[in-house]
Amino acid sequence: MSTSKTITFTLFIATLLSSCNAAANATTQPLFPAILIFGDSTVDTGNNNYHSQTIFKAKHLPYGIDLPNHKASGRFTNGKIFSDIIATKLNIKQLVPPFLQPNLSDQEIVTGVCFASAGAGYDDRTSLSTQAIGVSDQPKMFKSYIARLKSIVGDKKAMEIINNALVVISAGPNDFILNYYDFPSRRLEFPHISGYQDFVLKRLDNLVRELYSLGCRKIMVGGLPPMGCLPIQMTAKFRNALRFCLEQENRDSVLYNQKLQKLLPQIEASLTGSKILYSNVYDPMMDMMQNPSKYGFKETKRGCCGTGHLETSFMCNAFSPTCRNHSEFLFFDSIHPSEATYNYMGNFLDTQIRLWLEA
């Protein structure tokens, strides 16, 4: 069976199982005691709302328009993002709060929070340009979280929760967009993309080891999506009126993901008691782009907000026209997937996580 057909079949089975188990999920024990999230806007549930310096915020409509309260929350899509969807599927909680949100309840702390920041990357230069909370700085927030958790449940129980929590790391695209492709500030230092990939992966390696030193043991690390198929990247390539995916950038993503898949088992082998899962986002997204009708998508080359070619963050706002049916668009803005896409991704990765736990 081809990779594309296998992925489609897996998504179908995952969706079917998810539907069958929906009633049972309400009373099912969570698969992890908590969820802890690090990364960029693909998983940021609103930390940038409370970080005044940052450029990228999503605390205005049309972001959040399909959330239960129809209000923007800082999530860069029309509804829930991957963080919330995977937490729901694993029976942990419905929405994952940002750590910087004031007045978080003890229960929210105990079941996990998000430390991610839109515009962040593994490369510190990325976060300097966006004024985001860099991925390398997010463990500082995590240390504050640990202190609060210990004050609630005690030292022993706190470390038990952290040891068994699902840790999600999702970052990377900003590094390549802001330092290599669209603004080539790293090209003098790294004339070949392979060298910059190795630099980024070393930073990722450092992050995983730091989180391990703080007690994290069960870690899921996301690979790159098909970078050349992001609407903003199609727009950045001049004379691309037909909006083809940029195949070189996609090949770069594949190479990075191959390196990451090779690196993670090496890290796991060197960290006693760790379990590290590679999160494959490239293949499911590519399948959605190549076979949109299977997923109910009618548009895959532009976002739902505005023209869909360039708008994101403050450029996608209450004055921007939006598509009529959000679930027919793979992307909500020029970079970020729609809630419908995140749902399909959640189905696929939920299956991966459950198989990983059984292994």
Side-chain angles (χ1 to χ4, degrees):
M1 188 181 289
S2 69
T3 300
S4 177
K5 288 181 178 177
T6 301
I7 291 162
T8 305
F9 180 72
T10 303
L11 282 167
F12 170 75
I13 293 297
T15 305
L16 188 65
L17 287 172
S18 179
S19 300
C20 292
N21 290 333
N25 278 350
T27 55
T28 302
Q29 286 294 311
L31 269 69
F32 301 87
I35 187 167
L36 303 167
I37 298 168
F38 301 83
D40 60 18
S41 57
T42 56
V43 287
D44 179 7
T45 58
N47 280 308
N48 279 17
N49 289 356
Y50 311 101
H51 183 60
S52 59
Q53 297 99 322
T54 188
I55 296 170
F56 298 117
K57 297 179 189 288
K59 60 179 182 178
H60 53 269
L61 293 175
Y63 293 115
I65 191 70
D66 294 322
L67 284 170
N69 62 3
H70 307 294
K71 292 183 179 179
S73 64
R75 292 165 172 81
F76 281 78
T77 193
N78 51 304
K80 290 184 175 184
I81 60 172
F82 175 73
S83 310
D84 309 306
I85 290 163
I86 206 67
T88 301
K89 289 185 174 298
L90 298 173
N91 305 308
I92 300 170
K93 57 173 76 182
Q94 295 293 313
L95 294 168
V96 182
F99 179 65
L100 294 183
Q101 180 180 310
N103 306 316
L104 283 176
S105 70
D106 287 353
Q107 180 60 24
E108 290 284 28
I109 291 291
V110 169
T111 51
V113 296
C114 172
F115 305 97
S117 174
Y122 296 114
D123 184 347
D124 289 339
R125 187 173 291 182
T126 304
S127 304
L128 281 173
S129 63
T130 63
Q131 294 297 297
I133 305 165
V135 175
S136 63
D137 287 326
Q138 291 170 21
K140 294 175 185 174
M141 288 193 289
F142 183 42
K143 290 174 185 176
S144 299
Y145 165 86
I146 293 171
R148 168 107 189 254
L149 182 63
K150 286 180 175 179
S151 74
I152 298 168
V153 299
D155 290 11
K156 184 179 177 183
K157 181 65 175 176
M159 293 318 297
E160 184 181 313
I161 290 170
I162 292 165
N163 289 164
N164 291 287
L166 175 64
V167 177
V168 178
I169 301 173
S170 176
N174 292 327
D175 294 316
F176 293 95
I177 290 174
L178 297 174
N179 295 318
Y180 212 87
Y181 295 137
D182 300 0
F183 305 95
S185 61
R186 284 287 191 187
R187 287 201 181 206
L188 284 175
E189 191 176 349
F190 302 101
H192 302 290
I193 188 76
S194 181
Y196 185 58
Q197 290 174 343
D198 295 341
F199 171 80
V200 169
L201 288 167
K202 179 59 181 170
R203 304 285 299 184
L204 187 159
D205 185 320
N206 293 342
L207 172 70
V208 172
R209 292 179 188 279
E210 181 173 7
L211 294 178
Y212 176 87
S213 74
L214 294 170
C216 300
R217 294 295 180 267
K218 298 175 180 177
I219 304 171
M220 181 171 73
V221 182
L224 289 179
M227 294 285 294
C229 293
L230 299 179
I232 198 164
Q233 291 308 95
M234 295 185 201
T235 303
K237 184 74 172 178
F238 299 114
R239 298 187 296 277
N240 189 16
L242 296 178
R243 299 189 65 74
F244 292 117
C245 289
L246 309 183
E247 291 307 321
Q248 184 57 56
E249 292 188 12
N250 283 352
R251 285 193 291 271
D252 293 343
S253 297
V254 169
L255 177 60
Y256 173 93
N257 290 340
Q258 288 171 344
K259 290 180 177 181
L260 179 59
Q261 285 176 271
K262 184 178 178 182
L263 173 65
L264 294 179
Q266 294 172 358
I267 300 175
E268 181 180 278
S270 71
L271 300 176
T272 305
S274 67
K275 287 191 74 169
I276 304 177
L277 174 67
Y278 167 70
S279 169
N280 180 2
V281 298
Y282 185 100
D283 290 331
M285 283 200 72
M286 185 58 80
D287 194 59
M288 291 180 216
M289 290 167 183
Q290 293 174 341
N291 304 286
S293 60
K294 293 179 185 177
Y295 304 93
F297 293 130
K298 292 185 176 177
E299 179 57 67
T300 64
K301 296 183 177 182
R302 63 183 180 91
C304 168
C305 184
T307 64
H309 294 175
L310 196 62
E311 293 89 344
T312 190
S313 188
F314 57 87
M315 293 177 68
C316 173
N317 53 57
F319 300 102
S320 307
T322 55
C323 60
R324 182 172 295 178
N325 190 337
H326 306 154
S327 64
E328 292 180 351
F329 277 62
L330 195 151
F331 292 97
F332 187 66
D333 64 16
S334 65
I335 299 176
H336 304 100
S338 65
E339 182 182 37
T341 304
Y342 280 127
N343 267 315
Y344 288 120
M345 293 295 301
N347 288 337
F348 179 68
L349 293 171
D350 177 48
T351 304
Q352 277 194 316
I353 291 166
R354 289 171 189 271
L355 291 172
W356 175 55
L357 286 177
E358 293 170 6

